Amino acid sequence: MLLESPLPVLLSWKDSSALVVAEAARVVEAVDPGEAEGLLSATTAASRVFILGQGRSGIALRALAMRLMHLGLCVHAVGDATAPAIAAGDRLLIASGSGRTPSALAAARSAIAAGVEVAVITAAPHSPLASLAPTVLVVPAAEKRDRSAQSSSQYAGSLFEQVLWLLGDGLFHALWQRSGLTADELWARHSNLE
């Protein structure tokens, strides 16, 4: 006789959303404040900031790039047709949960060869990418290939990407408060071609 497997517990949308929020809050709380301050300093010390991330990490970094532009920073997304050559005095900010994305590693090495310091946001502090950067912010979330459900019950790198977005908004908010700029001054830089 075959034993029936128990049916999986199906969470409601509300329960699933609560799980996502709880996991994200736990990880944000676990981020090292010194690493976050280091990223703030590295970002504001640069002549220009170039951002690089693939997939959903790239989308989250583009959101941060927009907010940095609102603050008046010169920001470029690597791969955009209008992104200029990177040079000494610039900063390359890369987000990679695994710290092993081939395009991110290649870009970091090219930037270093051009005299540029790299800053990395990753879930893998001992990764090849993290080893190339003097500024590393570790997001203690599961990497996208981690299927153990120990760090997160969510699929793939969802938790890393969610926290990346939240950290980006937190970093922006801290910089905005320190800038003394008003919301109206930031809004003047918002796209008027929408």
Side-chain angles (χ1 to χ4, degrees):
M1 171 177 164
L2 293 175
L3 294 176
E4 290 185 26
S5 352
L7 292 175
V9 176
L10 301 177
L11 295 179
S12 69
W13 172 89
K14 186 173 183 177
D15 291 341
S16 293
S17 296
L19 178 139
V20 168
V21 169
E23 285 190 354
R26 175 183 46 80
V27 171
V28 167
E29 185 63 30
V31 168
D32 183 314
E35 291 177 0
E37 285 295 330
L39 186 61
L40 285 172
S41 297
T43 302
T44 55
S47 301
R48 300 176 300 178
V49 178
F50 289 72
I51 58 112
L52 174 65
Q54 299 301 322
R56 289 168 38 117
S57 296
I59 293 168
L61 270 190
R62 284 178 175 271
L64 174 58
M66 180 181 183
R67 290 296 186 238
L68 294 177
M69 176 274 297
H70 286 149
L71 285 172
L73 276 68
C74 182
V75 186
H76 299 283
V78 173
D80 282 357
T82 57
I86 198 166
D90 296 336
R91 181 85 61 224
L92 175 59
L93 172 57
I94 302 174
S96 171
S98 70
R100 291 174 177 76
T101 307
S103 59
L105 285 164
R109 290 181 180 117
S110 293
I112 292 166
V116 173
E117 283 194 8
V118 175
V120 171
I121 303 173
T122 186
H126 305 293
S127 65
L129 186 59
S131 71
L132 296 173
T135 303
V136 178
L137 190 156
V138 177
V139 175
E143 295 178 30
K144 65 182 167 188
R145 293 182 186 240
D146 182 348
R147 309 285 195 276
S148 70
Q150 291 179 2
S151 296
S152 175
S153 297
Q154 298 180 63
Y155 174 71
S158 293
L159 182 57
F160 174 79
E161 297 144 1
Q162 292 153 1
V163 171
L164 178 59
W165 191 294
L166 293 171
L167 287 175
D169 277 351
L171 293 168
F172 157 75
H173 192 76
L175 289 173
W176 176 33
Q177 296 306 302
R178 295 172 191 186
S179 76
L181 296 169
T182 67
D184 287 339
E185 289 172 305
L186 270 61
W187 187 254
R189 294 188 183 103
H190 190 76
S191 175
N192 58 1
L193 298 177
E194 296 181 323

